[in-house]
Amino acid sequence: MATETTLVLVKPDGVSRGLCGEIVGRFERRGYELRGARLLKITRALAQRHYAEHRGKPFFGELVSFITSGPVLALAVRGENAIDGVRALMGATDPADSAPGTIRGDLATLLGENVVHGSDSKASAKRELALFFPDGLV
Ligand code: IDP
Ligand code: MG
């Protein structure tokens, strides 16, 4: 175990539904520390880089359209084992499978509108934090 920093996005559905406070609160109450926060509208170019691993999949176009459809809240979240810990708080990717008590299990019903993104590995966290916090301060 180690102190890690991970990238979280509150996706456009979470921002437009007014869920930022609820979602940030869950990370803070767990004991993670906010190291960076930015509200921004993602460009198509940034969306395509962020989701590069999904390029070519049937849902890629829909994914890029959705993530660029309105502002997101990008967060750099730090703490012990934060990469896997944040993913555990988020719940399974498809809200149909997300356990109650998780963010997606409590706040989402649709796979395409599942309110949060979290980096899935150390390499992803490093790459994604550099995309959203390019000044390197987090
Ligand atoms: P993750 O967000 O839990 O890491 P990924 O597999 O990386 O899940 O997928 C990225 C996002 O793409 C998901 O959060 C979800 O919103 C969307 N997505 C994943 N699979 C599908 C699909 O089969 N159809 C439509 N959207 C999908
Ligand atoms: Mg992913």
Side-chain angles (χ1 to χ4, degrees):
M1 301 274 267
T3 302
E4 298 171 334
T5 307
T6 189
L7 178 81
V8 170
L9 300 177
V10 180
K11 294 184 181 184
D13 53 334
V15 174
S16 67
R17 289 171 60 201
L19 296 174
C20 289
E22 163 80 29
I23 291 167
V24 169
R26 289 182 182 219
F27 295 128
E28 290 182 324
R29 289 200 300 276
R30 177 73 193 273
Y32 299 128
E33 179 189 0
L34 289 188
R35 301 290 296 178
R38 261 185 89 192
L39 189 73
L40 74 154
K41 191 142 184 284
I42 298 181
T43 62
R44 287 186 67 80
L46 178 57
Q48 288 171 354
R49 288 182 71 191
H50 173 66
Y51 279 132
E53 67 178 293
H54 297 302
R55 191 184 283 274
K57 294 184 184 170
F59 61 88
F60 185 69
E62 185 188 324
L63 184 58
V64 169
S65 295
F66 175 66
I67 204 72
T68 58
S69 65
V72 303
L73 180 65
L75 303 167
V77 176
R78 183 156 89 168
E80 186 70 10
N81 198 33
I83 296 169
D84 287 349
V86 161
R87 296 271 300 183
L89 285 185
M90 285 170 35
T93 301
D94 188 342
D97 302 322
S98 309
T102 65
I103 292 168
R104 288 163 169 166
D106 289 347
L107 304 175
T109 58
L110 301 173
L111 173 58
E113 299 180 20
N114 58 2
V115 299
V116 277
H117 165 86
S119 306
D120 65 4
S121 66
K122 282 191 174 66
S124 298
K126 186 172 178 207
R127 187 182 75 80
E128 294 173 0
L129 286 165
L131 289 176
F132 285 88
F133 296 97
D135 58 11
L137 293 178
V138 300

